[in-house]
Amino acid sequence: MLSAPCALLDHLMKQITDSKQLQDVLGKLKRRRKTIGFVPTMGALHEGHLSLVRKSRKQNDITVVSIFVNPTQFGPKEDFKKYPRPLRKDSVLLKKAEVNFIFTPTPEGMYPEGLEKKGLSPAMKAALSLTKNLCGKFRPGHFEGVMIVVEKLFRIVQPSRAYFGAKDYQQAAVIQKMNEGLPFKIKIYVEPTIREKDGLAMSSRNQYLSPEERKRALAVSQTLFEVRRKILAGEKNLKKPISEAHRKLALSVDSVQYLEIVDPETLKPLSKVQKKMVVLTACYVGKTRLIDNVIIRTS
Ligand code: PAF
């Protein structure tokens, strides 16, 4: 149940850049027993992010959205510089969605110690085993950067609940594991992937795609749904649908980094069918790296 309205909150969304200022205002609200929902983002918001905001609004008195393009989770050859930063447009969307606070820290504010990744906390170390395969194999250091920034954000906001999208399946698994070792008692919600009408998973990076690439990108979700269909139709040998799908996907996209069926918790590759599995892929269409996944439940 949400608590009664509070004088500390007017209906205007507030943008805060300073973490101490955010902690002060949230501290006051927490002392009045307000629950805080938190949606961490890198901006360039789409319907996927907004679905997380709506869930947070439903479950909490206050919703905080952070927008921070985190330098430590990008590799040296990745798209950190060109990553879209449409802050004005994002603010309009968040205001419309009735968010209470946008937190827009600076790199210096988040990383006063510098950007070098050193000294992972025990909670992060406990999650490292989930970072070795899938995206972790192709983006060395990426999940360490994600954990470092999410731990910092959790420490600043200390929400009751935090919301992540299932499209970043491995990220959500890593954050959930790390969270188990953190002292903040945050409940994590992983919400379903939101798709375009034709099935393409929504992503801030979709805007990089040219019209011709956008057409070819459709093969990504179609491939995953096809693998699921074959397994649900009784295919027992997981290698067969995967190698067929891999071959077919490679005809549409420019390169396939991985296409795997794994255990939903350990993220270890599976050779035999089990009750719950997840099929995931990462591939390049032009210069754009796309990821997607689909859960397969056999009973
Ligand atoms: O999923 C994202 O947008 C980012 O990886 C996150 C969780 C906000 C950390 O920078």
Side-chain angles (χ1 to χ4, degrees):
M1 254 268 282
L2 303 185
S3 59
C6 158
L8 270 171
L9 279 177
D10 50 36
H11 291 292
L12 294 175
M13 178 177 78
K14 288 187 181 62
Q15 182 181 344
I16 296 182
T17 296
D18 182 64
S19 54
K20 175 80 177 58
Q21 195 189 341
L22 183 68
Q23 280 174 314
D24 286 348
V25 62
L26 293 180
K28 284 185 190 138
L29 290 161
K30 285 174 199 165
R31 283 193 287 283
R32 295 179 180 217
R33 301 200 175 285
K34 300 290 173 197
T35 55
I36 315 283
F38 179 43
V39 184
T41 82
M42 298 206 299
L45 304 177
H46 51 68
E47 198 44 43
H49 298 109
L50 297 177
S51 73
L52 305 180
V53 167
R54 283 193 289 273
K55 177 94 181 187
S56 171
R57 292 252 312 127
K58 228 179 247 171
Q59 293 187 320
N60 303 281
D61 298 309
I62 311 291
T63 291
V64 181
V65 175
S66 64
I67 296 183
F68 179 63
V69 184
N70 171 37
T72 63
Q73 69 188 75
F74 289 81
K77 292 194 179 135
E78 293 184 352
D79 55 344
F80 174 66
K81 281 215 174 107
K82 81 161 190 183
Y83 198 85
R85 290 163 171 85
L87 184 57
R88 201 171 280 216
K89 190 167 159 231
D90 287 347
S91 305
V92 171
L93 288 172
L94 294 177
K95 205 167 180 179
K96 230 168 152 185
E98 298 184 38
V99 160
N100 304 95
F101 298 99
I102 332 184
F103 179 44
T104 51
T106 59
E108 299 71 32
M110 287 301 279
Y111 291 102
E113 74 282 15
L115 296 180
E116 208 186 311
K117 288 175 212 148
K118 41 187 179 203
L120 295 188
S121 69
M124 294 179 201
K125 283 186 186 152
L128 274 182
S129 66
L130 295 175
T131 69
K132 302 293 177 214
N133 64 348
L134 304 169
C135 287
K137 204 155 128 190
F138 296 92
R139 301 187 72 187
H142 167 68
F143 288 114
E144 282 90 333
V146 169
M147 288 195 283
I148 289 168
V149 80
V150 171
E151 192 191 287
K152 283 173 183 279
L153 290 166
F154 279 3
R155 191 175 297 282
I156 294 165
V157 180
Q158 300 200 23
S160 326
R161 303 181 182 89
Y163 302 84
F164 295 88
K167 195 197 66 120
D168 296 298
Y169 191 92
Q170 188 174 17
Q171 167 173 283
V174 169
I175 291 171
Q176 280 174 300
K177 186 72 196 164
M178 174 184 78
N179 186 51
E180 285 173 16
L182 296 178
F184 313 123
K185 296 194 167 62
I186 300 167
K187 186 156 169 34
I188 294 200
Y189 290 78
V190 181
E191 295 300 306
T193 301
I194 305 294
R195 298 182 180 280
E196 302 288 354
K197 277 204 185 87
D198 61 6
L200 179 71
M202 288 198 187
S203 162
S204 305
R205 289 187 168 99
N206 290 352
Q207 59 187 278
Y208 298 152
L209 298 168
S210 70
E212 180 272 333
E213 290 168 346
R214 171 66 182 79
K215 278 190 199 141
R216 291 193 286 125
L218 195 50
V220 178
S221 58
Q222 282 175 344
T223 301
L224 299 177
F225 287 119
E226 176 72 358
V227 170
R228 178 165 75 177
R229 195 190 58 71
K230 284 185 179 160
I231 293 170
L232 295 183
E235 178 61 67
K236 290 280 179 285
N237 173 4
L238 294 180
K239 275 198 183 139
K240 204 167 144 221
I242 284 292
S243 57
E244 282 167 8
H246 199 290
R247 217 173 313 119
K248 218 165 140 195
L249 181 59
L251 297 175
S252 298
V253 303
D254 293 295
S255 69
V256 181
Q257 283 192 329
Y258 65 81
L259 173 64
E260 284 187 47
I261 301 179
V262 304
D263 179 274
E265 256 136 60
T266 63
L267 305 188
K268 295 236 163 80
L270 293 172
S271 52
K272 281 194 204 136
V273 172
Q274 61 181 43
K275 267 191 195 159
K276 192 175 170 195
M277 299 167 276
V278 52
V279 53
L280 309 93
T281 189
C283 45
Y284 273 93
V285 179
K287 289 196 174 122
T288 306
R289 186 174 184 275
L290 299 175
I291 58 170
D292 197 358
N293 69 84
V294 166
I295 299 284
I296 307 173
R297 278 196 180 82
T298 54
S299 60

